[in-house]
Amino acid sequence: MDQFGVSNLDFEEMQYFHALPGGGQTQVQQLLYNLNQRGIEWDLLPWLQQKGLGMMAYSPFDRGDLAHHTGLTDFARERGATAGQIALAWLSAQDQVIPIPKTNHVERVIENAGALELELATEDLATLDDLFTPTPEPESLQIY
């Protein structure tokens, strides 16, 4: 069987699917994941990481909301970056997570690529956790 990816399966659905004949051929799961939407960190994301499965994070800017977050824009400015670049760098710092930003503008593609030059230190990640507190308990899978 060929390798493939899935999208928007919650923790229980993903476990069930992966256990089916051929389900182990899954290579990646596409999910809503960004600084504002972190409910998968309790169960689904660690499970995917433990299984060695990639995770494609769609809507990494949370429909543009992160670009207007004062704390994030200040944090980014202090590092000579944009809020979008920080949001992408944060996702890229997560094990086996690949952000997939959408844009129709070449300038934005170039800006987004600048995130590859950013390396967030442990203190930076802690500051971002303070700005965007992880959910205190598991949540239902969010889908846009």
Side-chain angles (χ1 to χ4, degrees):
M1 178 178 270
D2 292 327
Q3 299 172 348
F4 55 90
V6 295
S7 182
N8 294 324
L9 297 180
D10 68 21
F11 181 52
E12 290 79 20
E13 291 168 334
M14 187 64 200
Q15 287 180 307
Y16 175 78
F17 182 78
H18 196 262
L20 292 173
Q25 296 297 103
T26 307
Q27 298 298 301
V28 67
Q29 156 96 282
Q30 187 181 56
L31 297 161
L32 173 64
Y33 185 50
N34 58 55
L35 284 163
N36 274 333
Q37 307 291 333
R38 299 179 63 175
I40 66 169
E41 291 178 352
W42 279 91
D43 48 14
L44 183 53
L45 182 57
W47 186 87
L48 292 168
Q49 291 166 329
Q50 185 268 329
K51 294 290 186 188
L53 300 174
M55 201 280 278
M56 295 174 70
Y58 72 82
S59 197
F61 310 125
D62 201 19
R63 295 184 172 176
D65 289 350
L66 293 174
H68 306 294
H69 187 282
T70 303
L72 183 59
T73 55
D74 291 345
F75 178 90
R77 190 173 23 264
E78 292 168 4
R79 286 151 185 82
T82 66
Q85 289 171 329
I86 296 295
L88 293 173
W90 178 82
L91 286 166
S92 295
Q94 312 299 316
D95 189 34
Q96 297 166 217
V97 173
I98 305 160
I100 51 171
K102 175 186 173 187
T103 185
N104 296 323
H105 305 285
V106 172
E107 300 81 19
R108 186 59 50 96
V109 172
I110 293 167
E111 177 185 322
N112 291 346
L116 298 171
E117 304 300 319
L118 298 174
E119 187 170 329
L120 298 175
T122 303
E123 308 84 51
D124 294 331
L125 296 172
T127 299
L128 291 169
D129 277 349
D130 289 341
L131 287 170
F132 301 93
T133 307
T135 59
E137 57 189 35
E139 295 180 337
S140 298
L141 187 65
Q142 301 297 307
I143 299 173
Y144 286 162

